[in-house]
Coordinates of all heavy atoms in Angstrom, one line a residue:
L538 N -41.1 118.1 8.6 CA -41.6 118.5 7.3 C -40.5 118.4 6.2 O -39.3 118.6 6.5 CB -42.1 120.0 7.3 CG -43.3 120.3 8.0 CD1 -43.6 121.8 8.0 CD2 -44.5 119.5 7.4
S591 N -16.9 127.4 -8.4 CA -17.2 127.2 -9.8 C -17.1 125.8 -10.2 O -17.9 125.3 -11.0 CB -16.3 128.1 -10.7 OG -16.5 129.5 -10.4
A662 N 1.5 122.8 2.5 CA 1.7 123.7 3.6 C 2.6 124.8 3.2 O 2.4 126.0 3.5 CB 2.2 122.9 4.8
L695 N 5.9 123.7 -6.6 CA 5.3 122.8 -5.6 C 4.1 122.1 -6.1 O 3.8 120.9 -5.6 CB 5.0 123.7 -4.4 CG 6.2 124.2 -3.6 CD1 5.7 125.3 -2.6 CD2 6.8 123.1 -2.8
I799 N -34.4 126.4 7.6 CA -34.3 127.3 8.7 C -32.8 127.7 9.0 O -32.5 128.9 9.1 CB -34.9 126.7 10.0 CG1 -36.4 126.5 9.8 CG2 -34.6 127.6 11.2 CD1 -37.1 125.8 11.0
V910 N -29.1 140.7 22.8 CA -30.1 140.5 23.8 C -31.5 140.3 23.2 O -32.2 139.4 23.6 CB -30.2 141.7 24.8 CG1 -31.4 141.6 25.7 CG2 -28.9 141.8 25.7

Side-chain angles (χ1 to χ4, degrees):
L538 290 177
S591 298
L695 287 169
I799 293 173
V910 170

